[in-house]
Amino acid sequence: MDHRLSPELEELRRTVEEFAHDVVAPKIGDFYERHEFPYEIVREMGRMGLFGLPFPEEYGGMGGDYLALGIALEELARVDSSVAITLEAGVSLGAMPLHLFGTEEQKREWLPRLCAGEMLGAFGLTEPDGGSDAGATRTTARLDPETDEWVINGSKCFITNSGTDITGLVTVTAVTGRKPDGRPQISAIIVPSGTPGFTVAAPYSKVGWNASDTRELSFADVRVPAANLVGEEGRGYAQFLRILDEGRIAIAALATGLAQGCVDESVKYAKERHAFGRPIGANQAIQFKIADMEMKAHTARLAWRDAASRLVAGEPFKKEAALAKLYSSTVAVDNARDATQIHGGYGFMNEYPVARMWRDSKILEIGEGTSEVQRMLIARELGLVS
Ligand SMILES: Cc1cc2nc3c(=O)[nH]c(=O)nc-3n(C[C@H](O)[C@H](O)[C@H](O)COP(=O)(O)OP(=O)(O)OC[C@H]3O[C@@H](n4cnc5c(N)ncnc54)[C@H](O)[C@@H]3O)c2cc1C
């Protein structure tokens, strides 16, 4: 399999690389320090078409695919992960469920604004009592036959992009009945922002991703039309497994970008910083550390591009997506730790990008399936779990 980029993808990569350096890098540190959502940067990303990358042109998308999305995420995360996760969650979690499983009306109503980045969508799966065991959803939705509306009750936690000024909807998973064997039947339902009874809490105080929006949501007798069901009733569990499989490739691309950003910053710093009368990069201990960091970023890139190529070709990609997510998030944490070490005391100062990368790396081993969950998926694909 050839993982070199086509001329079109290379052009996209270069465009996003320039944007990340010229527009994101000079501004994002201040947004991060203030824990503020970077509306002006997100608006610009929308104008560039990044939120529409993998969607068809008829719905306002760019007609690309997951490879194109991964390229953009990697280049953004080389500079900053808050803007990268805003794009990842907006596309993979906000818009993709509607594109893959929505009705024609739902696509026409929501996708053009989501693709333009004028509106953000969110995906509410995780609940306070459990994220990895997503089948244990407690939020319920009951169809009221008199009004033909879903009545939703429950809560969700850690939901990305769910409380910005431009958030338009959250697709939530809820128990809508029981299967004959007593197991819950889970469905996905669109809840537009501002629906009465739908409360969005204040942003969390987080270790990292501080310029990205993450909130707790609660639903108290929230009523939405029956037509807001996404896909078939009871298919919500299968749908979100598919969404998460794809999302893992996007997170792997993002993690690769962070790992590469650590190399970029370390090479620069190792040449500039002098100790004992010469650049610290003249020491083989530093050279070897950076060489290992580059090896890890390169291998992570091959892993996510392999998974993305399989997805785009319509081939099975579950195991490769889990491998890519597990590997890239592990090396992102490794590289962030090593880059901080290479920067010495300055690496602990927030004005240096590697300090932000260190804080932003840990969540990559947790979000969209923890490293343990990736190992469970890989073991299952290897036939080790019955
Ligand atoms: C900043 C941020 C943004 C997020 N954005 C979203 C979002 O947009 N939408 C959304 O739905 N969710 C979102 N999440 C939630 C995220 O996906 C979950 O936190 C994650 O899936 C883990 O779930 P949990 O936190 O409930 O941990 P738990 O499931 O409680 O797990 C706790 C620990 O136990 C381990 N564990 C659990 N079961 C097993 C097992 N069987 N074997 C071995 N180890 C096990 C886990 O790996 C983990 O280490 C976000 C989280 C964060 C922090």
Side-chain angles (χ1 to χ4, degrees):
M1 204 175 282
D2 187 355
H3 291 307
R4 281 168 300 182
L5 299 181
S6 65
E8 296 77 28
L9 285 177
E10 179 53 28
E11 194 185 324
L12 169 70
R13 194 199 65 72
R14 235 181 276 128
T15 305
V16 181
E17 181 183 34
E18 261 173 46
F19 172 75
H21 280 96
D22 299 348
V23 179
V24 179
K27 294 181 182 161
I28 197 65
D30 288 342
F31 283 108
Y32 199 89
E33 285 285 297
R34 296 196 301 264
H35 291 221
E36 191 180 316
F37 190 79
Y39 288 102
E40 59 187 77
I41 295 176
V42 171
R43 208 173 302 124
E44 197 52 39
M45 285 158 59
R47 279 197 213 106
M48 290 168 71
L50 300 187
F51 285 92
L53 274 175
F55 301 112
E57 289 170 17
E58 61 173 310
Y59 300 114
M62 301 290 281
D65 54 30
Y66 242 80
L67 208 45
L69 175 66
I71 297 293
L73 288 170
E74 188 184 324
E75 287 305 324
L76 286 174
R78 267 175 88 177
V79 167
D80 178 69
S81 290
S82 291
V83 293
I85 192 60
T86 300
L87 176 63
E88 194 278 338
V91 172
S92 300
L93 302 179
M96 196 53 87
L98 305 182
H99 170 56
L100 288 181
F101 309 112
T103 61
E104 192 53 33
E105 290 80 57
Q106 288 167 347
K107 291 184 199 182
R108 299 229 169 267
E109 179 175 0
W110 299 106
L111 283 181
R113 283 174 293 169
L114 295 172
C115 287
E118 292 162 10
M119 177 189 273
L120 287 173
F123 190 64
L125 171 65
T126 307
E127 302 198 349
D129 288 328
S132 303
D133 184 9
T137 300
R138 291 196 180 171
T139 296
T140 59
R142 169 183 65 81
L143 195 59
D144 181 343
E146 284 183 17
T147 59
D148 206 25
E149 289 172 325
W150 293 106
V151 186
I152 305 170
N153 282 285
S155 57
K156 300 285 173 182
C157 67
F158 310 141
I159 308 305
T160 306
N161 286 346
S162 59
T164 73
D165 295 350
I166 56 170
T167 300
L169 74 131
V170 54
T171 303
V172 295
T173 51
V175 177
T176 49
R178 295 270 153 198
K179 293 181 180 160
D181 63 5
R183 284 186 300 151
Q185 195 179 47
I186 297 174
S187 305
I189 300 171
I190 299 169
V191 181
S193 300
T195 305
F198 171 28
T199 311
V200 180
Y204 289 97
S205 166
K206 304 190 294 272
V207 169
W209 283 359
N210 284 329
S212 132
D213 181 76
T214 322
R215 316 260 185 154
E216 182 161 357
L217 312 178
S218 59
F219 305 86
D221 287 330
V222 172
R223 288 180 168 268
V224 297
N228 282 20
L229 180 72
V230 180
E232 271 174 63
E233 188 177 345
R235 294 286 299 155
Y237 191 73
Q239 288 171 18
F240 74 64
L241 290 184
R242 168 74 193 202
I243 295 294
L244 293 180
D245 281 341
E246 293 190 359
R248 279 178 192 125
I249 301 176
I251 293 286
L254 191 160
T256 303
L258 189 147
Q260 189 66 54
C262 291
V263 178
D264 300 344
E265 294 299 324
S266 298
V267 168
K268 214 168 20 167
Y269 194 75
K271 289 181 183 166
E272 287 165 10
R273 180 72 175 173
H274 283 65
F276 300 100
R278 59 185 192 153
I280 58 167
N283 297 294
Q284 206 174 48
I286 302 277
Q287 292 168 8
F288 278 16
K289 207 187 269 295
I290 297 176
D292 284 353
M293 290 162 66
E294 174 72 2
M295 169 189 71
K296 290 173 183 176
H298 178 77
T299 312
R301 180 171 306 111
L302 294 180
W304 85 251
R305 285 194 192 170
D306 175 56
S309 303
R310 289 168 192 270
L311 164 62
V312 170
E315 294 167 8
F317 65 95
K318 206 183 205 7
K319 185 180 76 181
E320 288 74 16
L323 287 169
K325 205 268 180 181
L326 175 60
Y327 183 75
S328 60
S329 56
T330 306
V331 304
V333 175
D334 287 351
N335 281 10
R337 185 189 56 240
D338 289 343
T340 306
Q341 190 67 21
I342 288 167
H343 280 69
Y346 291 105
F348 203 61
M349 298 299 127
N350 280 329
E351 66 173 288
Y352 279 77
V354 292
R356 205 168 65 236
M357 289 171 181
W358 192 38
R359 292 166 67 167
D360 290 343
S361 63
K362 184 58 206 169
I363 178 60
L364 298 169
E365 295 184 318
I366 297 170
E368 294 199 35
T370 63
S371 293
E372 290 76 16
V373 166
Q374 306 311 318
R375 289 187 170 93
M376 284 157 64
L377 289 167
I378 295 164
R380 194 171 298 145
E381 290 295 307
L382 291 173
L384 292 167
V385 182
S386 53

